[in-house]
Amino acid sequence: MFRLYTSMAIIPKNLLVQREQQLLIVKNSERYVDVVIDVWTFRKRGHNELDEPSFTQPAMYKRINSRKSIPAMYEGKLIESGELTREKADKVRKQWLESLNIAFADSFSCNPVDPTRPPGWSKLGAPHEYPTEEATGVNTNELSNIGVKSVTTSESVTVHPRIERFHIKPRLKKLQEGAGLDWATAEALAFGSLLAEGYNVRLSGQDVGRGTFSQRHAMLVCQETEKVYVPLNHMDADSQEQRMGKLEVVNSNLCEGAVVGFEYGVSVEDPFTLAIWEAQFGDFYNNSQTMFDGYIVSGETKWGQQNGLVLLLPHGFDGGGPDHSSCRLERHLQLSNDPVDGHTDAMPNIYVTYPTTPAQFFHLLRRQVKRNFRKPLIVAAPKTMLRLASATSALNEMSPGTCFKPVLDDPTTRDPHSVKRVMVVSGKLYYDLAKLKNENPLGEHVAIVRVEELTPFPRRELFHVLSRYDNATDFVWVQEEPRNAGAYAFAAPRIKSMLPQHTTLRYVGRSEHAATCSGVETQQAAEHVQLTTEAFDGLRGLVADLVIDSIATQHEKQHDKPASVISASVSHRWASRAVYAAHSSDH
């Protein structure tokens, strides 16, 4: 016998093959070789009921229409051999047509029920209400042990000296200090902790074993024998009852459409396996756009089929050029069913995130399988942040009681009442703006708020943070992507709906661009300087308004009457957004 893969069949070597009625018959097989079967097929009728292929291909369809159908040919052969009578054939045909007509009539009143799903899905539920974030933290001692195990190898494995120097030793040092943990370490801790809880983890993509940016090294290759060693698969169970999961690291080829489709199937088949596909660069996902549009983000709406596939798409404007900079956040957000007005808690069809700390990434990965339902997760993954000293986390940020936070407030704000400008940003640009804020003498009057989860849009969490800045009069969305790309078009109407009356949301970033970014590095760098500088323009005038407000307030207190100078922020009433204010106490 043989197995067919697309147009490739594996058949035994030294075999007897004979062709009979266009079929390959294989006998006496022990070994296998690859052969290609060239199969010709034809469409008997057009694309639909209204189409007529003979309009453009009359000669070919004259021959096709003169041929008997395969069922008719088979029926005739059975009747000729005496295995079937004409009466029996007519009866079977009539019964079959009747069953089809009944099914067609029933289709008009069809009310689909839950589809049959693979084993394991019965333990999960379909989300019917807006989910809340649950703690996904782990005991720090356990995490530290997992981190050590993630870089511990067998004595028979000779590790590359550069991996030993720049990967293993630094990780062990940071784990001992409990601080300064990078993204690869946080990822390993998430994987290892899930394995210890019995979940399987599957990671596929181009060069995912070492990572596109040589940051991961989830698999180590012996420099003498080329034997592959996956350290996290050698963790010891705490007891005989503990079932350890398995980490599967698959370095796939550059066929994104096929690979993403396969990983989608993995996530559908086994909801308790954390299935992850990582693009070499986020831009490369576009070769699998059909899988995103037709299955991943819409399968639940069309067929009731949940999936929990994680897609890591490295994103960021760091000189990589127009084909190695953008995972096209705008496209993923356009596929979201998140309501613009936000007055209903609609369940999202996808989660799109742009985390800025390793701890946030850790919680995202664990949350994906700890929930009692499954949704696809798209992560604008880090590139330069992988080794950015300020983009690190401490172990206690992953400890029990901690969880992923959709919005991160400015940790450097001392007095919220002194803030006049609030910058809302998503992703790595935060670190460039935070550096400039620290260097600016008026930086204390600026707050930089990070939106870590773009869809479902975190209205309640963002309102809770923004409403702290009751004297702020200038709200700005800052992004490094062009105005017709990135998250601005998606986020702007949602943010504007929660701002105080008589305020608006300004845009600071690159102007509209046909490509994701410039192909000239110097131009891209100049644009970056321009937009980050513009984000801090006009601060002196805002601070002057703050002084006027202070004088007006003092005047009111001294004379027990309204001030002659109208406060710049007197018309800003956060409470006017009752739909959000009603929920702010939850946080």
Side-chain angles (χ1 to χ4, degrees), residues 254-309:
L254 286 164
C255 296
E256 287 86 357
V259 176
V260 171
F262 186 88
E263 301 308 326
Y264 169 77
V266 171
S267 69
V268 166
E269 185 66 22
D270 184 4
F272 294 99
T273 288
L274 179 63
I276 304 172
W277 177 71
E278 180 180 66
Q280 199 166 43
F281 286 87
D283 317 58
F284 298 176
Y285 97 93
N286 55 18
N287 293 318
S288 58
Q289 186 75 55
T290 301
M291 293 298 169
F292 277 70
D293 294 355
Y295 296 89
I296 297 171
V297 304
S298 61
E300 184 174 0
T301 300
K302 293 191 288 188
W303 313 302
Q305 178 62 71
Q306 294 184 39
N307 79 90
L309 183 61

Side-chain angles (χ1 to χ4, degrees), residues 430-448:
Y430 162 78
Y431 291 101
D432 297 323
L433 296 173
K435 183 174 183 294
L436 290 175
K437 173 188 173 179
N438 185 55
E439 297 169 352
N440 194 305
L442 299 177
E444 64 180 296
H445 303 291
V446 175
I448 307 174

Side-chain angles (χ1 to χ4, degrees), residues 135-140 143 362-363 394-403:
T136 47
V138 180
N139 181 276
T140 54
L143 288 178
F362 167 88
H363 290 298
L395 266 182
N396 60 16
E397 295 177 64
M398 309 173 211
S399 61
T402 58
C403 65

Side-chain angles (χ1 to χ4, degrees), residues 149-154 157-160 163-164 167-168 209-210 216-223 226-231:
K149 288 288 187 180
S150 70
V151 288
T152 301
T153 63
S154 168
V157 176
T158 302
V159 178
H160 194 287
I163 294 179
E164 180 72 36
H167 178 72
I168 296 177
R210 68 173 186 270
R216 178 175 289 121
H217 302 294
M219 54 179 280
L220 301 173
V221 179
C222 179
Q223 299 300 296
E226 291 198 352
K227 176 184 176 182
V228 175
Y229 188 87
V230 181

